[in-house]
Amino acid sequence: MKTKKIGSGRRLLCAGLLVTVAVGLGACGEKEKKSGQALASVNGEEITVLQLNEEMQRAGVQSEQQESARKQLLQSLVDRQLLMNEAAKDKVDRDPKVVQSIERAKALIVAQAYMQKRIGTPAKPTPAEVADYFDKHPEFFVRRKQIDMKELVIASNDMNDALKAAMDAAKSLDEVAAWLDAHKIKFGRTQLARSTADLPPELSSKLLAMPKGQLFIIREGQRSLLISIADIRDNPVTLEQATGQIEQFLFNKKNKEAADAELARLRAAAKIEYLDKTIAPGKGAAPAAAAAPAAAPAASASGSNEANERGVAGLK
């Protein structure tokens, strides 16, 4: 699947305009004096150097792009102020849904700022820690395998017992494609490759146990995938190749463990009462463990009977 690459200028403009409008509405109607040198005025509301610098920092603008980015981001601030002014006139900031969204955004920002201040930045994993993880998980690295697959993509509404029977009788995905053509069912062809580092261990085990050419079905909402295993081959990586990936994984793991520990401390010190017992979490419930590192997002498992019909579920 090909994706279009959006230009950085347009992305900066859209992000600056849309992402922060909801939070900015909280200030509608207020006439606080803004600090910093004014760069523009929109119906009497100043836009300052400090505001622009904040946008530049959040956008992560590279030095060679700063001149053009400043103009684009300043225009996005002007557009945002225009929208805020009109929102104030229409009393949009008083709409219950808008107020709720603002409160949620504020709570997230404050909570994240507290957590960052409390736990700080974890130390970078040492070479010894990286090497230890590499040695303890050969399935992700030295014994990593790549699974090449071919797919036919159809609408889930076209999945029926006759098609399943055709797949059971077929010896190849091409035979299934011919059956679809004969029955005038539209489909698309795709190919994909996943390594055992990309997939949950249980799913990897199931796929590795399948013979070449095995057919199976995955349902993903409004589309269904008719998949054939084309090849399974060794695809090892060295410690040097995997170091950056392992460092990032261990860094994220340390950060998550520190955050979990702080939340556990706060829960233990607080008096928490769940008034609706039907949705109260069970006693001793623990946060989910960090996932294994992967070169691509791991596939999620599905519990549907349809997806499990051929013994495998959740492949994406």
Side-chain angles (χ1 to χ4, degrees):
M1 182 184 296
K2 295 183 179 180
T3 56
K4 292 185 178 179
K5 186 174 181 182
I6 300 174
S8 59
R10 182 176 179 83
R11 182 167 58 248
L12 293 174
L13 178 61
C14 293
L17 175 61
L18 298 177
V19 173
T20 55
V21 166
V23 178
L25 285 173
C28 286
E30 297 179 6
K31 296 293 183 180
E32 294 182 1
K33 179 71 174 179
K34 296 178 182 178
S35 58
Q37 178 184 353
L39 295 174
S41 176
V42 181
N43 295 327
E45 293 287 345
E46 290 185 348
I47 296 172
T48 69
V49 172
L50 290 180
Q51 287 177 278
L52 181 58
N53 289 343
E54 173 71 9
E55 295 297 315
M56 294 278 287
Q57 183 178 357
R58 287 183 178 275
V61 178
Q62 301 297 319
S63 57
E64 64 273 12
Q65 297 176 324
Q66 285 192 1
E67 183 176 352
S68 60
R70 284 174 64 86
K71 295 178 182 179
Q72 293 168 7
L73 289 173
L74 178 58
Q75 186 58 52
S76 76
L77 286 169
V78 169
D79 292 342
R80 185 191 308 170
Q81 189 62 56
L82 287 170
L83 291 173
M84 289 174 61
N85 291 349
E86 292 304 303
K89 290 179 184 178
D90 292 344
K91 299 182 180 179
V92 173
D93 53 323
R94 300 183 187 180
D95 183 284
K97 290 184 179 179
V98 174
V99 172
Q100 186 177 24
S101 296
I102 293 171
E103 289 302 313
R104 180 180 182 277
K106 179 180 177 182
L108 285 172
I109 292 170
V110 173
Q112 289 170 357
Y114 166 80
M115 190 65 80
Q116 182 62 39
K117 179 180 179 181
R118 179 73 183 185
I119 68 177
T121 302
K124 181 180 178 180
T126 65
E129 289 175 317
V130 172
D132 181 64
Y133 189 88
F134 181 88
D135 292 338
K136 289 181 177 178
H137 296 278
E139 69 276 17
F140 298 142
F141 308 111
V142 295
R143 293 207 303 264
R144 188 175 76 163
K145 293 184 181 295
Q146 180 168 309
I147 306 170
D148 297 327
M149 289 163 280
K150 296 180 180 179
E151 293 181 344
L152 301 178
V153 184
I154 66 170
S156 291
N157 290 338
D158 291 329
M159 178 58 66
N160 52 44
D161 291 338
L163 175 53
K164 293 173 188 175
M167 285 194 69
D168 287 335
K171 296 180 180 180
S172 70
L173 204 62
D174 288 336
E175 289 186 17
V176 178
W179 189 95
L180 293 172
D181 278 331
H183 290 78
K184 302 187 184 308
I185 297 176
K186 294 181 180 180
F187 65 91
R189 288 182 184 266
T190 63
Q191 296 183 359
L192 74 159
R194 290 290 184 269
S195 80
T196 50
D198 303 336
L199 303 170
E202 181 181 355
L203 180 55
S204 292
S205 298
K206 289 180 178 180
L207 291 175
L208 293 175
M210 290 183 177
K212 183 178 178 179
Q214 174 70 58
L215 304 177
F216 56 95
I217 303 168
I218 299 298
R219 173 167 287 187
E220 292 184 340
Q222 296 183 352
R223 71 173 192 167
S224 290
L225 313 177
L226 316 181
I227 304 176
S228 170
I229 295 180
D231 195 15
I232 298 176
R233 50 197 169 89
D234 293 333
N235 187 21
V237 293
T238 65
L239 175 58
E240 182 180 6
Q241 292 171 320
T243 292
Q245 177 186 333
I246 296 174
E247 284 179 343
Q248 187 61 54
F249 168 73
L250 293 178
F251 180 86
N252 293 342
K253 186 172 181 287
K254 287 182 179 180
N255 199 57
K256 183 179 184 304
E257 288 171 349
D260 288 345
E262 175 61 12
L263 283 172
R265 183 189 72 82
L266 293 174
R267 290 191 192 103
K271 181 180 178 181
I272 302 173
E273 182 180 2
Y274 293 96
L275 304 181
D276 187 340
K277 305 301 182 184
T278 63
I279 58 174
K283 292 183 178 179
S300 59
S302 167
S304 69
N305 290 331
E306 283 289 341
N308 279 295
E309 285 210 23
R310 291 299 186 102
V312 141
L315 188 63
K316 291 187 178 180

PDB file of all heavy atoms in Angstrom, residues 282-310:
ATOM      1  N   GLY A 282     -10.759  -5.421  39.189  1.00  0.00           N
ATOM      2  CA  GLY A 282     -10.577  -6.487  40.164  1.00  0.00           C
ATOM      3  C   GLY A 282      -9.402  -6.210  41.074  1.00  0.00           C
ATOM      4  O   GLY A 282      -8.495  -5.446  40.758  1.00  0.00           O
ATOM      5  N   LYS A 283      -9.418  -6.850  42.237  1.00  0.00           N
ATOM      6  CA  LYS A 283      -8.334  -6.661  43.196  1.00  0.00           C
ATOM      7  C   LYS A 283      -7.046  -7.237  42.623  1.00  0.00           C
ATOM      8  O   LYS A 283      -7.028  -8.295  42.017  1.00  0.00           O
ATOM      9  CB  LYS A 283      -8.673  -7.340  44.517  1.00  0.00           C
ATOM     10  CG  LYS A 283      -9.827  -6.670  45.261  1.00  0.00           C
ATOM     11  CD  LYS A 283     -10.061  -7.349  46.595  1.00  0.00           C
ATOM     12  CE  LYS A 283     -11.195  -6.653  47.365  1.00  0.00           C
ATOM     13  NZ  LYS A 283     -11.443  -7.309  48.659  1.00  0.00           N
ATOM     14  N   GLY A 284      -5.972  -6.507  42.861  1.00  0.00           N
ATOM     15  CA  GLY A 284      -4.666  -6.985  42.439  1.00  0.00           C
ATOM     16  C   GLY A 284      -4.391  -6.829  40.959  1.00  0.00           C
ATOM     17  O   GLY A 284      -3.425  -7.382  40.442  1.00  0.00           O
ATOM     18  N   ALA A 285      -5.264  -6.105  40.262  1.00  0.00           N
ATOM     19  CA  ALA A 285      -5.049  -5.919  38.829  1.00  0.00           C
ATOM     20  C   ALA A 285      -3.775  -5.130  38.604  1.00  0.00           C
ATOM     21  O   ALA A 285      -3.534  -4.113  39.248  1.00  0.00           O
ATOM     22  CB  ALA A 285      -6.230  -5.175  38.214  1.00  0.00           C
ATOM     23  N   ALA A 286      -2.961  -5.611  37.719  1.00  0.00           N
ATOM     24  CA  ALA A 286      -1.675  -4.972  37.459  1.00  0.00           C
ATOM     25  C   ALA A 286      -1.645  -4.404  36.056  1.00  0.00           C
ATOM     26  O   ALA A 286      -2.314  -4.911  35.157  1.00  0.00           O
ATOM     27  CB  ALA A 286      -0.540  -5.989  37.624  1.00  0.00           C
ATOM     28  N   PRO A 287      -0.865  -3.345  35.841  1.00  0.00           N
ATOM     29  CA  PRO A 287      -0.742  -2.790  34.500  1.00  0.00           C
ATOM     30  C   PRO A 287      -0.155  -3.817  33.543  1.00  0.00           C
ATOM     31  O   PRO A 287       0.585  -4.710  33.947  1.00  0.00           O
ATOM     32  CB  PRO A 287       0.229  -1.601  34.688  1.00  0.00           C
ATOM     33  CG  PRO A 287       0.189  -1.303  36.159  1.00  0.00           C
ATOM     34  CD  PRO A 287      -0.077  -2.614  36.828  1.00  0.00           C
ATOM     35  N   ALA A 288      -0.500  -3.684  32.268  1.00  0.00           N
ATOM     36  CA  ALA A 288       0.007  -4.613  31.268  1.00  0.00           C
ATOM     37  C   ALA A 288       1.512  -4.470  31.125  1.00  0.00           C
ATOM     38  O   ALA A 288       2.071  -3.384  31.247  1.00  0.00           O
ATOM     39  CB  ALA A 288      -0.662  -4.346  29.917  1.00  0.00           C
ATOM     40  N   ALA A 289       2.188  -5.591  30.865  1.00  0.00           N
ATOM     41  CA  ALA A 289       3.639  -5.579  30.715  1.00  0.00           C
ATOM     42  C   ALA A 289       4.023  -4.962  29.387  1.00  0.00           C
ATOM     43  O   ALA A 289       3.270  -4.973  28.427  1.00  0.00           O
ATOM     44  CB  ALA A 289       4.178  -7.003  30.807  1.00  0.00           C
ATOM     45  N   ALA A 290       5.240  -4.441  29.343  1.00  0.00           N
ATOM     46  CA  ALA A 290       5.730  -3.862  28.097  1.00  0.00           C
ATOM     47  C   ALA A 290       5.919  -4.956  27.065  1.00  0.00           C
ATOM     48  O   ALA A 290       6.273  -6.082  27.383  1.00  0.00           O
ATOM     49  CB  ALA A 290       7.065  -3.147  28.354  1.00  0.00           C
ATOM     50  N   ALA A 291       5.662  -4.606  25.821  1.00  0.00           N
ATOM     51  CA  ALA A 291       5.782  -5.584  24.736  1.00  0.00           C
ATOM     52  C   ALA A 291       7.234  -5.744  24.336  1.00  0.00           C
ATOM     53  O   ALA A 291       8.080  -4.921  24.648  1.00  0.00           O
ATOM     54  CB  ALA A 291       4.960  -5.126  23.543  1.00  0.00           C
ATOM     55  N   ALA A 292       7.511  -6.812  23.626  1.00  0.00           N
ATOM     56  CA  ALA A 292       8.860  -7.046  23.125  1.00  0.00           C
ATOM     57  C   ALA A 292       9.181  -6.040  22.034  1.00  0.00           C
ATOM     58  O   ALA A 292       8.289  -5.527  21.379  1.00  0.00           O
ATOM     59  CB  ALA A 292       8.961  -8.462  22.576  1.00  0.00           C
ATOM     60  N   PRO A 293      10.457  -5.736  21.835  1.00  0.00           N
ATOM     61  CA  PRO A 293      10.805  -4.785  20.775  1.00  0.00           C
ATOM     62  C   PRO A 293      10.493  -5.380  19.423  1.00  0.00           C
ATOM     63  O   PRO A 293      10.532  -6.581  19.235  1.00  0.00           O
ATOM     64  CB  PRO A 293      12.325  -4.607  20.954  1.00  0.00           C
ATOM     65  CG  PRO A 293      12.769  -5.886  21.576  1.00  0.00           C
ATOM     66  CD  PRO A 293      11.642  -6.297  22.476  1.00  0.00           C
ATOM     67  N   ALA A 294      10.180  -4.502  18.481  1.00  0.00           N
ATOM     68  CA  ALA A 294       9.856  -4.978  17.141  1.00  0.00           C
ATOM     69  C   ALA A 294      10.265  -3.946  16.123  1.00  0.00           C
ATOM     70  O   ALA A 294      10.235  -2.752  16.382  1.00  0.00           O
ATOM     71  CB  ALA A 294       8.365  -5.261  17.025  1.00  0.00           C
ATOM     72  N   ALA A 295      10.626  -4.424  14.953  1.00  0.00           N
ATOM     73  CA  ALA A 295      11.003  -3.501  13.888  1.00  0.00           C
ATOM     74  C   ALA A 295       9.798  -2.839  13.276  1.00  0.00           C
ATOM     75  O   ALA A 295       9.878  -1.795  12.679  1.00  0.00           O
ATOM     76  CB  ALA A 295      11.776  -4.257  12.809  1.00  0.00           C
ATOM     77  N   ALA A 296       8.619  -3.451  13.446  1.00  0.00           N
ATOM     78  CA  ALA A 296       7.356  -2.894  12.973  1.00  0.00           C
ATOM     79  C   ALA A 296       6.319  -3.150  14.040  1.00  0.00           C
ATOM     80  O   ALA A 296       6.519  -3.982  14.914  1.00  0.00           O
ATOM     81  CB  ALA A 296       6.954  -3.552  11.663  1.00  0.00           C
ATOM     82  N   PRO A 297       5.171  -2.417  14.034  1.00  0.00           N
ATOM     83  CA  PRO A 297       4.159  -2.622  15.055  1.00  0.00           C
ATOM     84  C   PRO A 297       3.716  -4.072  15.111  1.00  0.00           C
ATOM     85  O   PRO A 297       3.484  -4.714  14.102  1.00  0.00           O
ATOM     86  CB  PRO A 297       3.008  -1.711  14.589  1.00  0.00           C
ATOM     87  CG  PRO A 297       3.673  -0.691  13.757  1.00  0.00           C
ATOM     88  CD  PRO A 297       4.824  -1.380  13.085  1.00  0.00           C
ATOM     89  N   ALA A 298       3.594  -4.589  16.337  1.00  0.00           N
ATOM     90  CA  ALA A 298       3.166  -5.973  16.502  1.00  0.00           C
ATOM     91  C   ALA A 298       1.713  -6.129  16.121  1.00  0.00           C
ATOM     92  O   ALA A 298       0.902  -5.234  16.300  1.00  0.00           O
ATOM     93  CB  ALA A 298       3.368  -6.402  17.951  1.00  0.00           C
ATOM     94  N   ALA A 299       1.362  -7.279  15.591  1.00  0.00           N
ATOM     95  CA  ALA A 299      -0.036  -7.560  15.248  1.00  0.00           C
ATOM     96  C   ALA A 299      -0.823  -7.790  16.513  1.00  0.00           C
ATOM     97  O   ALA A 299      -0.327  -8.306  17.488  1.00  0.00           O
ATOM     98  CB  ALA A 299      -0.100  -8.790  14.349  1.00  0.00           C
ATOM     99  N   SER A 300      -2.077  -7.392  16.517  1.00  0.00           N
ATOM    100  CA  SER A 300      -2.922  -7.573  17.684  1.00  0.00           C
ATOM    101  C   SER A 300      -3.731  -8.837  17.536  1.00  0.00           C
ATOM    102  O   SER A 300      -4.135  -9.217  16.455  1.00  0.00           O
ATOM    103  CB  SER A 300      -3.870  -6.376  17.834  1.00  0.00           C
ATOM    104  OG  SER A 300      -4.659  -6.263  16.689  1.00  0.00           O
ATOM    105  N   ALA A 301      -3.995  -9.500  18.658  1.00  0.00           N
ATOM    106  CA  ALA A 301      -4.736 -10.754  18.623  1.00  0.00           C
ATOM    107  C   ALA A 301      -6.217 -10.482  18.561  1.00  0.00           C
ATOM    108  O   ALA A 301      -6.731  -9.542  19.130  1.00  0.00           O
ATOM    109  CB  ALA A 301      -4.398 -11.579  19.844  1.00  0.00           C
ATOM    110  N   SER A 302      -6.940 -11.315  17.857  1.00  0.00           N
ATOM    111  CA  SER A 302      -8.394 -11.202  17.757  1.00  0.00           C
ATOM    112  C   SER A 302      -9.022 -12.426  18.345  1.00  0.00           C
ATOM    113  O   SER A 302      -8.532 -13.523  18.196  1.00  0.00           O
ATOM    114  CB  SER A 302      -8.804 -11.057  16.290  1.00  0.00           C
ATOM    115  OG  SER A 302     -10.187 -11.252  16.160  1.00  0.00           O
ATOM    116  N   GLY A 303     -10.148 -12.246  19.029  1.00  0.00           N
ATOM    117  CA  GLY A 303     -10.788 -13.387  19.647  1.00  0.00           C
ATOM    118  C   GLY A 303     -11.959 -13.924  18.879  1.00  0.00           C
ATOM    119  O   GLY A 303     -12.658 -14.808  19.357  1.00  0.00           O
ATOM    120  N   SER A 304     -12.231 -13.427  17.683  1.00  0.00           N
ATOM    121  CA  SER A 304     -13.427 -13.838  16.960  1.00  0.00           C
ATOM    122  C   SER A 304     -13.278 -15.236  16.403  1.00  0.00           C
ATOM    123  O   SER A 304     -12.194 -15.665  16.037  1.00  0.00           O
ATOM    124  CB  SER A 304     -13.708 -12.865  15.817  1.00  0.00           C
ATOM    125  OG  SER A 304     -12.726 -12.988  14.834  1.00  0.00           O
ATOM    126  N   ASN A 305     -14.397 -15.968  16.331  1.00  0.00           N
ATOM    127  CA  ASN A 305     -14.380 -17.308  15.763  1.00  0.00           C
ATOM    128  C   ASN A 305     -14.003 -17.274  14.294  1.00  0.00           C
ATOM    129  O   ASN A 305     -13.329 -18.163  13.789  1.00  0.00           O
ATOM    130  CB  ASN A 305     -15.753 -17.965  15.939  1.00  0.00           C
ATOM    131  CG  ASN A 305     -16.026 -18.283  17.392  1.00  0.00           C
ATOM    132  OD1 ASN A 305     -15.101 -18.519  18.147  1.00  0.00           O
ATOM    133  ND2 ASN A 305     -17.291 -18.289  17.773  1.00  0.00           N
ATOM    134  N   GLU A 306     -14.463 -16.237  13.578  1.00  0.00           N
ATOM    135  CA  GLU A 306     -14.163 -16.119  12.154  1.00  0.00           C
ATOM    136  C   GLU A 306     -12.648 -16.076  11.947  1.00  0.00           C
ATOM    137  O   GLU A 306     -12.105 -16.747  11.080  1.00  0.00           O
ATOM    138  CB  GLU A 306     -14.799 -14.853  11.570  1.00  0.00           C
ATOM    139  CG  GLU A 306     -16.299 -14.982  11.317  1.00  0.00           C
ATOM    140  CD  GLU A 306     -16.597 -15.884  10.157  1.00  0.00           C
ATOM    141  OE1 GLU A 306     -15.697 -16.140   9.328  1.00  0.00           O
ATOM    142  OE2 GLU A 306     -17.732 -16.368  10.074  1.00  0.00           O
ATOM    143  N   ALA A 307     -11.988 -15.265  12.748  1.00  0.00           N
ATOM    144  CA  ALA A 307     -10.547 -15.093  12.557  1.00  0.00           C
ATOM    145  C   ALA A 307      -9.774 -16.329  12.938  1.00  0.00           C
ATOM    146  O   ALA A 307      -8.663 -16.543  12.478  1.00  0.00           O
ATOM    147  CB  ALA A 307     -10.064 -13.906  13.384  1.00  0.00           C
ATOM    148  N   ASN A 308     -10.342 -17.162  13.770  1.00  0.00           N
ATOM    149  CA  ASN A 308      -9.646 -18.347  14.244  1.00  0.00           C
ATOM    150  C   ASN A 308      -9.954 -19.591  13.412  1.00  0.00           C
ATOM    151  O   ASN A 308      -9.464 -20.679  13.742  1.00  0.00           O
ATOM    152  CB  ASN A 308     -10.025 -18.623  15.695  1.00  0.00           C
ATOM    153  CG  ASN A 308      -9.247 -17.751  16.642  1.00  0.00           C
ATOM    154  OD1 ASN A 308      -8.045 -17.857  16.739  1.00  0.00           O
ATOM    155  ND2 ASN A 308      -9.944 -16.862  17.338  1.00  0.00           N
ATOM    156  N   GLU A 309     -10.755 -19.469  12.366  1.00  0.00           N
ATOM    157  CA  GLU A 309     -11.212 -20.645  11.640  1.00  0.00           C
ATOM    158  C   GLU A 309     -10.075 -21.484  11.097  1.00  0.00           C
ATOM    159  O   GLU A 309     -10.161 -22.687  11.015  1.00  0.00           O
ATOM    160  CB  GLU A 309     -12.157 -20.234  10.504  1.00  0.00           C
ATOM    161  CG  GLU A 309     -13.506 -19.847  11.017  1.00  0.00           C
ATOM    162  CD  GLU A 309     -14.583 -20.151  10.005  1.00  0.00           C
ATOM    163  OE1 GLU A 309     -14.349 -21.015   9.140  1.00  0.00           O
ATOM    164  OE2 GLU A 309     -15.632 -19.529  10.088  1.00  0.00           O
ATOM    165  N   ARG A 310      -8.980 -20.828  10.692  1.00  0.00           N
ATOM    166  CA  ARG A 310      -7.859 -21.574  10.174  1.00  0.00           C
ATOM    167  C   ARG A 310      -6.721 -21.693  11.195  1.00  0.00           C
ATOM    168  O   ARG A 310      -5.586 -21.971  10.838  1.00  0.00           O
ATOM    169  CB  ARG A 310      -7.335 -20.915   8.887  1.00  0.00           C
ATOM    170  CG  ARG A 310      -8.308 -21.037   7.715  1.00  0.00           C
ATOM    171  CD  ARG A 310      -8.556 -22.499   7.360  1.00  0.00           C
ATOM    172  NE  ARG A 310      -9.368 -22.628   6.163  1.00  0.00           N
ATOM    173  CZ  ARG A 310      -8.868 -22.934   4.964  1.00  0.00           C
ATOM    174  NH1 ARG A 310      -7.607 -23.155   4.807  1.00  0.00           N
ATOM    175  NH2 ARG A 310      -9.672 -23.037   3.925  1.00  0.00           N
TER     176      ARG A 310
END
